Amino acid sequence: MIDLLRLATFHGPNPYSGERLVLADMTVDETAASRSDAIIEEIGRLSASWYGENEAPGIEDPSEALVDFMLRWSLAALNWMQGFLELYGYRKIGTGRFRIWVAFHDPGVTNSALALAVRLANRAEQGRVDAAELENMLGRLWDACKLRHPDTSDHIVMMGARALDLPVTQAWNTMQMWQYGWGARSEVIGSAATNRDGYASGMVIARKNRTKNALRGLGLPVPPGVLVRTDKDIENAVEEIGFPCVVKPIDLAKGKGISANLKTIDEVRSAVRYAQSQTSLRVMIEAFIAGDDHRLLMAGGQLAVAVRRLPPAVIGDGKHTIRELTDALNIGRVHPDTLSLDRFPAVRLDENAVQHLKNQGLTPETVLPTGQEVTLRSIANISTGGSTDDVTAKVHPDIRQACEMIARTLQVNVAGFDYMTTDISRSWREVPGAFIELNLTPALIAFTLAGWPAAEAGKLILSEQTGRIPLNLIVIPDDSLEEAETRLANLPGGTSAGWASQGKACIGTLPLIVESGPPWSGIRTLLAHRTVERATVLATSEQIQVHGLPVDRADRIWNCDHTLRGEWREVLDRSSKSPVQVVAWSILSDELATSQGTYPAG
């Protein structure tokens, strides 16, 4: 039997790590330890489609090997759909007893993963593992991850933030929006979309027909397009647009519902039905621009990288079917429901792919002659199995200038502009070329799959102004909190300075309404305001021992509780830019009362 006893959730630096983590005790009895190898093997077998790391070399204690496996399995499950968690650890505290910790984006989701690992291990020990039940439980866990974890683009930005030593927290009390930096030097980013982009521009870019109209109004090349809903609309649109053409939903991203290079009215009708199955809005029939699809990634309003996107394809060998060749192509690729920073998604032979093959007179069971190359999709989006190569150095100055004109005019800082042409090194004045789509949430894996280090790509997305504001932390005895809050509230303050505790926050003389419940909610409320240029933070010694420190670092820390345990004093030392000042609250309180400044000098 394996038991899990939750101990704490640390939302900031703590004795185990500078990261946020959940802490628990895990016990493994003799029976479970004796079956450790069998339990690991069984769970590994059931998880083989997404988890392939069963071995823990060098661990001789079977109970320790089992604990290590369950933690690694939990972390892999948390990151499978989307997530950016690396930290886990344990410490043996007795025979079969371990103190464990695992990082979190959302503590409830991490706790669920740990509970699932323990439940699965206990079922495996008893020989009662139900594969269908496991699939159902993992499905619920992964649904929660998709709602509460950062996606792949967020992952890349967070790696950039880590390289720049920027704090990252959940933003504005919402899911999947992340605040980088503090106060006046903060910005909010979600899926590469930033709060520096204009709302009106977002409305235009969210609909492909509006995008087309806007770019046409700016005098830039776009293919003609017509919105359709009925069969009569389709006939009229094809008569106007001609062949070949493209069918696409106007509101979806990642290539969903798109069919390209259509050459007959029947192909168009089938493509419209497919597009309509993906959206409730009208769909667009658009002129086909010959050539390759290029993703032009903008950062800070400048062209940062250009990649050519190629549709997935297989080459015949005279022996194997297209389905078998596709299976071989997918070896080493990641599951199409998830994304990787360094591996392309697998290709699905779904309805759209089968229709594309049908348009070429083929089926998945066709055996191709040796050397014949066949594309599996009409589009080249990475999310549908396309591949990339870096063509940044080849982009023609006209195309580069046009991109930067669009970014500046529409006031977008981070975006992906899609441009079709046979030769990116030549202007649309020389060869056919046009912008076919703009996207405010570009998949930043286009950077990494083109060879960029993730941290370097993430840095490009963050504004140069993003960073930390001067911040001081005062740790006080538990019974001094009310007095300290009153003292700070009575200090004269300008509108650019603020203070906060667990349950209170104030900017200048304006008290804010703080949501009760979440740890350090007052401090997060204060640091979310871009009017705050400097801050003082209050925390009691009891609060930090329950929740961890409220911030990852402070310019200066005062410890006013001489009874604070040594392990927590070490946490304060690691989290302060300058030596921690140990001073009685009564003395610091008097200094605050006589201080000429609004708050203690940092």
Side-chain angles (χ1 to χ4, degrees), residues 485-567:
E485 290 173 335
T486 301
R487 182 58 58 90
L488 289 181
N490 289 333
L491 288 176
T495 56
S496 64
W499 69 269
S501 60
Q502 158 66 25
K504 294 184 179 180
C506 188
I507 301 175
T509 59
L510 177 67
L512 304 175
I513 300 172
V514 174
E515 180 183 10
S516 61
W520 306 128
S521 53
I523 295 161
R524 292 187 180 182
T525 298
L526 175 70
L527 297 180
H529 283 271
R530 299 194 75 245
T531 58
V532 177
E533 297 177 2
R534 63 187 191 279
T536 295
V537 171
L538 288 174
T540 72
S541 51
E542 179 181 3
Q543 288 169 341
I544 67 171
Q545 290 174 88
V546 172
H547 303 306
L549 267 59
V551 291
D552 66 328
R553 185 173 308 118
D555 293 281
R556 190 175 179 186
I557 296 179
W558 287 268
N559 177 14
C560 300
D561 186 354
H562 70 278
T563 67
L564 188 65
R565 299 204 312 265
E567 60 183 356

Side-chain angles (χ1 to χ4, degrees), residues 4-191:
L4 185 70
L5 175 63
R6 295 171 186 162
L7 298 177
T9 301
F10 292 131
H11 292 260
N14 56 81
Y16 301 90
S17 171
E19 297 185 35
R20 303 181 302 170
L21 55 85
V22 296
L23 186 72
D25 279 350
M26 184 177 287
T27 58
V28 180
D29 68 14
E30 292 183 4
T31 303
S34 68
R35 301 204 64 231
S36 173
D37 289 344
I39 293 171
I40 292 172
E41 182 178 354
E42 177 68 359
I43 297 175
R45 182 184 67 79
L46 292 170
S47 309
S49 63
W50 60 272
Y51 182 78
E53 185 185 355
N54 289 354
E55 297 298 325
I59 300 178
E60 296 182 359
D61 180 352
S63 60
E64 181 180 349
L66 183 55
V67 168
D68 182 82
F69 170 79
M70 285 192 289
L71 294 180
R72 287 185 288 111
W73 186 92
S74 298
L75 204 64
L78 289 165
N79 290 327
W80 171 243
M81 281 297 173
Q82 55 190 50
F84 175 36
L85 299 172
E86 298 175 348
L87 175 74
Y88 80 94
Y90 60 88
R91 180 186 304 161
K92 192 168 185 177
I93 57 177
T95 302
R97 296 181 59 231
F98 300 85
R99 177 73 38 87
I100 67 164
W101 53 91
V102 179
F104 67 82
H105 297 302
D106 179 279
V109 177
T110 289
N111 278 321
S112 294
L114 286 171
L116 177 55
V118 170
R119 179 174 181 174
L120 182 59
N122 282 327
R123 292 290 184 90
E125 178 198 339
Q126 300 160 8
R128 296 192 301 114
V129 176
D130 185 318
E133 181 187 34
L134 173 60
E135 182 179 355
N136 182 52
M137 290 188 293
L138 281 171
R140 292 201 300 269
L141 175 69
W142 289 336
D143 284 344
C145 290
K146 286 188 286 187
L147 283 174
R148 298 180 179 275
H149 280 192
D151 65 16
T152 309
S153 291
D154 292 319
H155 179 168
I156 291 171
V157 180
M158 288 179 180
M159 292 187 73
R162 174 185 290 177
L164 295 170
D165 190 32
L166 297 179
V168 182
T169 57
Q170 197 173 53
W172 298 340
N173 207 22
T174 61
M175 292 185 289
Q176 292 189 314
M177 298 294 289
W178 309 94
Q179 178 181 322
Y180 298 81
W182 292 332
R185 299 193 61 192
S186 67
E187 68 174 315
V188 172
I189 302 175
S191 296

Side-chain angles (χ1 to χ4, degrees), residues 363-387:
T363 75
E365 312 314 321
T366 300
V367 175
L368 296 175
T370 300
Q372 180 180 346
E373 183 175 11
V374 169
T375 59
L376 301 175
R377 289 185 179 275
S378 60
I379 58 175
N381 294 66
I382 293 171
S383 58
T384 60
S387 59

